[in-house]
PDB file of all heavy atoms in Angstrom:
ATOM      1  N   GLY A  48     108.314  46.934  98.881  1.00  0.00           N
ATOM      2  CA  GLY A  48     108.842  47.802  99.953  1.00  0.00           C
ATOM      3  C   GLY A  48     108.713  49.344  99.713  1.00  0.00           C
ATOM      4  O   GLY A  48     107.658  49.856  99.725  1.00  0.00           O
ATOM      5  N   GLU A  49     109.864  49.900  99.503  1.00  0.00           N
ATOM      6  CA  GLU A  49     109.939  51.397  99.398  1.00  0.00           C
ATOM      7  C   GLU A  49     109.141  52.022  98.296  1.00  0.00           C
ATOM      8  O   GLU A  49     108.824  53.142  98.312  1.00  0.00           O
ATOM      9  CB  GLU A  49     111.408  51.814  99.280  1.00  0.00           C
ATOM     10  CG  GLU A  49     112.303  51.495 100.475  1.00  0.00           C
ATOM     11  CD  GLU A  49     111.893  52.236 101.690  1.00  0.00           C
ATOM     12  OE1 GLU A  49     111.640  53.487 101.562  1.00  0.00           O
ATOM     13  OE2 GLU A  49     111.825  51.639 102.772  1.00  0.00           O
ATOM     14  N   LYS A  50     108.836  51.221  97.252  1.00  0.00           N
ATOM     15  CA  LYS A  50     108.171  51.775  96.106  1.00  0.00           C
ATOM     16  C   LYS A  50     106.800  52.430  96.481  1.00  0.00           C
ATOM     17  O   LYS A  50     106.467  53.464  95.891  1.00  0.00           O
ATOM     18  CB  LYS A  50     107.896  50.661  95.056  1.00  0.00           C
ATOM     19  CG  LYS A  50     107.213  51.136  93.799  1.00  0.00           C
ATOM     20  CD  LYS A  50     107.108  49.970  92.821  1.00  0.00           C
ATOM     21  CE  LYS A  50     106.428  50.396  91.554  1.00  0.00           C
ATOM     22  NZ  LYS A  50     106.268  49.314  90.604  1.00  0.00           N
ATOM     23  N   TYR A  51     106.086  51.861  97.407  1.00  0.00           N
ATOM     24  CA  TYR A  51     104.801  52.378  97.752  1.00  0.00           C
ATOM     25  C   TYR A  51     104.719  53.041  99.162  1.00  0.00           C
ATOM     26  O   TYR A  51     103.714  53.429  99.618  1.00  0.00           O
ATOM     27  CB  TYR A  51     103.696  51.302  97.676  1.00  0.00           C
ATOM     28  CG  TYR A  51     103.582  50.745  96.315  1.00  0.00           C
ATOM     29  CD1 TYR A  51     104.027  49.394  96.047  1.00  0.00           C
ATOM     30  CD2 TYR A  51     103.075  51.450  95.249  1.00  0.00           C
ATOM     31  CE1 TYR A  51     103.914  48.875  94.769  1.00  0.00           C
ATOM     32  CE2 TYR A  51     102.965  50.930  93.982  1.00  0.00           C
ATOM     33  CZ  TYR A  51     103.381  49.628  93.766  1.00  0.00           C
ATOM     34  OH  TYR A  51     103.274  49.092  92.531  1.00  0.00           O
ATOM     35  N   LYS A  52     105.913  53.163  99.745  1.00  0.00           N
ATOM     36  CA  LYS A  52     105.932  53.671 101.143  1.00  0.00           C
ATOM     37  C   LYS A  52     105.511  55.127 101.220  1.00  0.00           C
ATOM     38  O   LYS A  52     105.984  55.909 100.433  1.00  0.00           O
ATOM     39  CB  LYS A  52     107.382  53.561 101.731  1.00  0.00           C
ATOM     40  CG  LYS A  52     107.500  53.862 103.161  1.00  0.00           C
ATOM     41  CD  LYS A  52     108.927  53.545 103.624  1.00  0.00           C
ATOM     42  CE  LYS A  52     109.046  53.826 105.139  1.00  0.00           C
ATOM     43  NZ  LYS A  52     110.375  53.450 105.580  1.00  0.00           N
ATOM     44  N   ASP A  53     104.566  55.404 102.077  1.00  0.00           N
ATOM     45  CA  ASP A  53     104.041  56.763 102.275  1.00  0.00           C
ATOM     46  C   ASP A  53     103.501  56.849 103.694  1.00  0.00           C
ATOM     47  O   ASP A  53     102.350  56.408 103.953  1.00  0.00           O
ATOM     48  CB  ASP A  53     102.962  57.060 101.235  1.00  0.00           C
ATOM     49  CG  ASP A  53     102.432  58.506 101.296  1.00  0.00           C
ATOM     50  OD1 ASP A  53     102.562  59.114 102.350  1.00  0.00           O
ATOM     51  OD2 ASP A  53     101.893  58.896 100.250  1.00  0.00           O
ATOM     52  N   LEU A  54     104.297  57.279 104.617  1.00  0.00           N
ATOM     53  CA  LEU A  54     103.898  57.311 106.017  1.00  0.00           C
ATOM     54  C   LEU A  54     102.717  58.223 106.319  1.00  0.00           C
ATOM     55  O   LEU A  54     101.938  57.888 107.239  1.00  0.00           O
ATOM     56  CB  LEU A  54     105.085  57.666 106.877  1.00  0.00           C
ATOM     57  CG  LEU A  54     106.237  56.691 106.899  1.00  0.00           C
ATOM     58  CD1 LEU A  54     107.380  57.101 107.852  1.00  0.00           C
ATOM     59  CD2 LEU A  54     105.792  55.318 107.203  1.00  0.00           C
ATOM     60  N   ASP A  55     102.527  59.303 105.561  1.00  0.00           N
ATOM     61  CA  ASP A  55     101.369  60.137 105.785  1.00  0.00           C
ATOM     62  C   ASP A  55     100.097  59.390 105.508  1.00  0.00           C
ATOM     63  O   ASP A  55      99.121  59.396 106.220  1.00  0.00           O
ATOM     64  CB  ASP A  55     101.485  61.392 104.930  1.00  0.00           C
ATOM     65  CG  ASP A  55     100.254  62.380 105.179  1.00  0.00           C
ATOM     66  OD1 ASP A  55     100.071  62.657 106.372  1.00  0.00           O
ATOM     67  OD2 ASP A  55      99.633  62.759 104.227  1.00  0.00           O
ATOM     68  N   GLU A  56     100.112  58.596 104.333  1.00  0.00           N
ATOM     69  CA  GLU A  56      98.948  57.798 104.066  1.00  0.00           C
ATOM     70  C   GLU A  56      98.785  56.632 105.025  1.00  0.00           C
ATOM     71  O   GLU A  56      97.626  56.300 105.420  1.00  0.00           O
ATOM     72  CB  GLU A  56      99.125  57.229 102.595  1.00  0.00           C
ATOM     73  CG  GLU A  56      99.037  58.270 101.575  1.00  0.00           C
ATOM     74  CD  GLU A  56      97.651  58.769 101.347  1.00  0.00           C
ATOM     75  OE1 GLU A  56      96.740  57.976 101.046  1.00  0.00           O
ATOM     76  OE2 GLU A  56      97.408  59.999 101.526  1.00  0.00           O
ATOM     77  N   ALA A  57      99.866  56.018 105.438  1.00  0.00           N
ATOM     78  CA  ALA A  57      99.813  54.958 106.440  1.00  0.00           C
ATOM     79  C   ALA A  57      99.204  55.439 107.763  1.00  0.00           C
ATOM     80  O   ALA A  57      98.359  54.723 108.356  1.00  0.00           O
ATOM     81  CB  ALA A  57     101.190  54.384 106.716  1.00  0.00           C
ATOM     82  N   ARG A  58      99.556  56.642 108.181  1.00  0.00           N
ATOM     83  CA  ARG A  58      98.994  57.219 109.408  1.00  0.00           C
ATOM     84  C   ARG A  58      97.457  57.331 109.316  1.00  0.00           C
ATOM     85  O   ARG A  58      96.709  56.973 110.217  1.00  0.00           O
ATOM     86  CB  ARG A  58      99.554  58.577 109.673  1.00  0.00           C
ATOM     87  CG  ARG A  58      98.970  59.314 110.903  1.00  0.00           C
ATOM     88  CD  ARG A  58      99.543  60.672 111.070  1.00  0.00           C
ATOM     89  NE  ARG A  58     100.946  60.708 111.393  1.00  0.00           N
ATOM     90  CZ  ARG A  58     101.471  60.533 112.617  1.00  0.00           C
ATOM     91  NH1 ARG A  58     100.605  60.360 113.646  1.00  0.00           N
ATOM     92  NH2 ARG A  58     102.761  60.573 112.788  1.00  0.00           N
ATOM     93  N   LYS A  59      96.977  57.797 108.192  1.00  0.00           N
ATOM     94  CA  LYS A  59      95.527  57.924 107.991  1.00  0.00           C
ATOM     95  C   LYS A  59      94.791  56.562 108.082  1.00  0.00           C
ATOM     96  O   LYS A  59      93.716  56.409 108.631  1.00  0.00           O
ATOM     97  CB  LYS A  59      95.216  58.572 106.633  1.00  0.00           C
ATOM     98  CG  LYS A  59      95.698  60.061 106.607  1.00  0.00           C
ATOM     99  CD  LYS A  59      95.587  60.598 105.195  1.00  0.00           C
ATOM    100  CE  LYS A  59      96.186  61.990 105.099  1.00  0.00           C
ATOM    101  NZ  LYS A  59      96.322  62.457 103.785  1.00  0.00           N
ATOM    102  N   LEU A  60      95.390  55.545 107.371  1.00  0.00           N
ATOM    103  CA  LEU A  60      94.786  54.247 107.338  1.00  0.00           C
ATOM    104  C   LEU A  60      94.807  53.582 108.722  1.00  0.00           C
ATOM    105  O   LEU A  60      93.821  52.974 109.124  1.00  0.00           O
ATOM    106  CB  LEU A  60      95.510  53.427 106.297  1.00  0.00           C
ATOM    107  CG  LEU A  60      95.373  53.823 104.875  1.00  0.00           C
ATOM    108  CD1 LEU A  60      96.426  53.176 103.948  1.00  0.00           C
ATOM    109  CD2 LEU A  60      93.927  53.452 104.354  1.00  0.00           C
ATOM    110  N   ILE A  61      95.887  53.731 109.421  1.00  0.00           N
ATOM    111  CA  ILE A  61      95.974  53.126 110.747  1.00  0.00           C
ATOM    112  C   ILE A  61      95.020  53.831 111.691  1.00  0.00           C
ATOM    113  O   ILE A  61      94.318  53.166 112.534  1.00  0.00           O
ATOM    114  CB  ILE A  61      97.464  53.238 111.270  1.00  0.00           C
ATOM    115  CG1 ILE A  61      98.358  52.366 110.457  1.00  0.00           C
ATOM    116  CG2 ILE A  61      97.488  52.837 112.764  1.00  0.00           C
ATOM    117  CD1 ILE A  61      99.848  52.595 110.724  1.00  0.00           C
ATOM    118  N   THR A  62      94.876  55.128 111.628  1.00  0.00           N
ATOM    119  CA  THR A  62      93.962  55.849 112.514  1.00  0.00           C
ATOM    120  C   THR A  62      92.496  55.416 112.142  1.00  0.00           C
ATOM    121  O   THR A  62      91.626  55.188 113.076  1.00  0.00           O
ATOM    122  CB  THR A  62      94.063  57.363 112.337  1.00  0.00           C
ATOM    123  OG1 THR A  62      95.440  57.703 112.721  1.00  0.00           O
ATOM    124  CG2 THR A  62      93.097  58.146 113.124  1.00  0.00           C
TER     125      THR A  62
END
Side-chain angles (χ1 to χ4, degrees):
E49 295 293 318
K50 182 177 180 182
Y51 299 110
K52 188 173 182 177
D53 184 336
L54 294 182
D55 184 52
E56 291 289 301
R58 177 183 294 277
K59 293 171 187 171
L60 292 163
I61 294 168
T62 299

